[in-house]
Structure formats: C-alpha cells, structure tokens
Amino acid sequence: MTGEISLWGLVLPVGGIKEKVVAAAAAGLRVMLPARNRRDFDEIPQGAPEKLQFVWLKRLDDAIAEALEESSPRP
C-alpha cells in the first residue's frame, strides 16, 4: 500500500508506480494504489500485472476496508 490522503479522506496520486509494482510482483503482494494512478498502469512491464491483484482506492475508507479484509492464503 502506498499513497497519501487529503484532509477529506481522498487518496491522492503518487509517483514511482512502475517501480513499486515491479517490487510487489517479485514479493507476491497484493497491490493497493490510488485510483488516480490508473493512467500509470501502461508503464508497468508485461508479466508483472498478471502476478498481482490490484485494488484501486478513491477514499481512505476503501483502503481501510481492503486492508482489514481477510485475504485468501497464498499458494
């Protein structure tokens, strides 16, 4: 999970999405990114997105709900 939030609870866009996603793919993590960074999805190298589950966040409430949700066990 990476990002910043506004005083109103909006999830703000961040930089370095390509590098963060590549690192997450190597570690086999679930990726939570600001919805405003969807435009950066095209920069991600082929192969990495297929290994990951992406969660696009608009509000802080979305991040909290997703982070507290029980995930399925990794294989």
Side-chain angles (χ1 to χ4, degrees):
M1 179 168 43
T2 183
E4 297 180 28
I5 59 169
S6 71
L7 294 174
W8 299 276
L10 298 175
V11 177
L12 304 174
V14 296
I17 296 298
K18 175 182 167 184
E19 293 80 8
K20 291 171 183 169
V21 170
V22 169
L29 301 175
R30 180 173 52 168
V31 180
M32 299 169 67
L33 296 168
R36 294 183 193 182
N37 280 108
R38 275 190 194 257
R39 65 181 181 265
D40 299 320
F41 193 76
D42 295 338
E43 296 177 17
I44 300 169
Q46 284 186 317
E50 291 80 24
K51 298 177 185 176
L52 299 169
Q53 172 191 355
F54 288 88
V55 179
W56 299 98
L57 307 170
K58 291 183 181 180
R59 300 194 47 80
L60 176 61
D61 297 343
D62 301 334
I64 293 171
E66 187 65 33
L68 296 177
E69 182 178 298
E70 284 191 43
S71 61
S72 57
R74 288 191 221 168

